[in-house]
Amino acid sequence: MKLLTYFKKTSFPGLYFSRFIPAIFLILFIFVDNSFAASVPLPSIKIGIEKSDRPEDVSLSLQILIFMTVISLAPTILIMLTSFTRTVVVLSFTRNALGTQQTPSNQLIIGLSLFLTLFIMGPVFKKVNDVAVKPYMDKKISFQSAISKGSEPLREFMFKQTREEDLAVFIEAARLPRPDKLGDIPTDVLIPSFIISELRTAFQIGFLIYIPFLLIDVVVATTLMGMGMMMVPPMMISLPLKLMLFIMVDGWNLIVRAIVLSFN
């Protein structure tokens, strides 16, 4: 009674009871959680490795693991083993030559490069589907045979776009004997050779794209200097001229046409 009378007379009794608030909430949470767990049964999840008496189960598990690995590497395969590299580099050079900074944006350039890649690689993907995917889905060939047959159209495409000099560099670096035919070249030698050849070709196309726009920049800068307009940025004058020239010659049509025909 004395204690209650003391708290009634105290002007700030809440300061004393506030220290017990966290403990009260903790007790309520434990009570509610235990009652909920008691009323609702929770499922148990087990992940483990067990013995298998059938070799088919092991083979199927390995195939699933390989398939999931290929799916995780699909973006890298799409970028490095197709026409995507050359396409996106050429489009980036075009944007830089125009001097439009971030127009078109990176998303537009990557999206256009992706759809152009699907268009260019369409015959190759169709051939892979006909010789490997469909027969494997119909259980006419094994998984190993599907991988071997499916890689042949892609290897054929890469060989057509790869320079002999680049192949020779990696064959020499790998210390392999001189191959008698293309089939003797392993894929791990073909892939870096193909990527280097694609970058070289893309830079060659980019250099040719830069030349007319570079001439416009030089003419504008020389004209402004001759007129004594030193404080006027040449880019302010050359950018509209480059855009007008690009539109008049239907630049995007020419660029995309050059990219597509460069793979034939």
Side-chain angles (χ1 to χ4, degrees), residues 7-248:
F7 282 124
K8 289 180 181 179
K9 293 181 180 180
T10 305
S11 58
F12 299 98
L15 296 177
Y16 182 80
F17 288 103
S18 63
R19 70 183 64 180
F20 295 102
I21 292 177
I24 294 172
F25 276 105
L26 180 61
I27 294 173
L28 291 175
F29 175 77
I30 294 174
F31 176 75
V32 172
D33 183 65
N34 290 335
S35 63
F36 178 77
S39 60
V40 180
L42 299 177
S44 61
I45 301 175
K46 295 181 180 180
I47 299 176
I49 301 176
E50 300 178 356
K51 291 183 62 178
S52 176
D53 298 330
R54 298 186 302 171
E56 294 81 4
D57 295 338
V58 179
S59 177
L60 180 61
S61 301
L62 292 177
Q63 292 178 17
I64 294 175
L65 179 61
I66 293 174
F67 178 75
M68 296 302 295
T69 303
V70 171
I71 291 297
S72 62
L73 296 176
T76 304
I77 295 174
L78 178 63
I79 292 174
M80 294 301 177
L81 305 187
T82 62
S83 60
F84 184 87
T85 301
R86 185 187 305 184
T87 306
V88 73
V89 171
V90 170
L91 294 179
S92 299
F93 270 122
T94 303
R95 182 180 65 181
N96 293 335
L98 286 171
T100 54
Q101 303 299 327
Q102 296 298 320
T103 304
S105 62
N106 292 331
Q107 291 82 357
L108 286 175
I109 289 180
I110 293 175
L112 179 58
S113 302
L114 178 61
F115 281 103
L116 287 176
T117 300
L118 295 177
F119 175 79
I120 295 170
M121 300 296 297
V124 179
F125 292 155
K126 184 179 183 301
K127 191 173 182 180
V128 172
N129 184 57
D130 293 338
V131 302
V133 178
K134 283 185 178 180
Y136 177 72
M137 297 300 293
D138 296 337
K139 298 182 180 179
K140 295 180 180 179
I141 59 176
S142 63
F143 183 72
Q144 292 79 6
S145 179
I147 294 178
S148 177
K149 292 184 177 181
S151 61
E152 286 303 319
L154 193 58
R155 281 172 54 91
E156 182 180 355
F157 169 80
M158 288 192 291
F159 274 124
K160 289 181 179 180
Q161 311 301 327
T162 305
R163 298 188 309 153
E164 295 182 0
E165 295 83 355
D166 297 327
L167 281 173
V169 168
F170 286 96
I171 290 174
E172 183 180 356
R175 297 181 179 179
L176 297 176
R178 183 181 179 88
D180 297 330
K181 55 183 179 179
L182 295 180
D184 297 336
I185 300 176
T187 305
D188 57 348
V189 172
L190 174 60
I191 291 176
S193 305
F194 169 76
I195 295 173
I196 290 179
S197 297
E198 286 294 283
L199 289 175
R200 181 179 184 275
T201 305
F203 274 68
Q204 287 177 341
I205 299 175
F207 172 75
L208 296 177
I209 293 173
Y210 254 101
I211 291 177
F213 299 112
L214 181 62
L215 291 176
I216 294 177
D217 288 333
V218 171
V219 170
V220 170
T222 305
T223 304
L224 291 177
M225 186 178 296
M227 297 175 62
M229 303 175 65
M230 312 293 273
M231 303 301 294
V232 178
M235 183 62 66
M236 184 181 299
I237 307 299
S238 63
L239 180 57
L241 296 177
K242 289 189 289 187
L243 291 177
M244 182 180 64
L245 174 64
F246 195 72
I247 293 172
M248 289 178 61

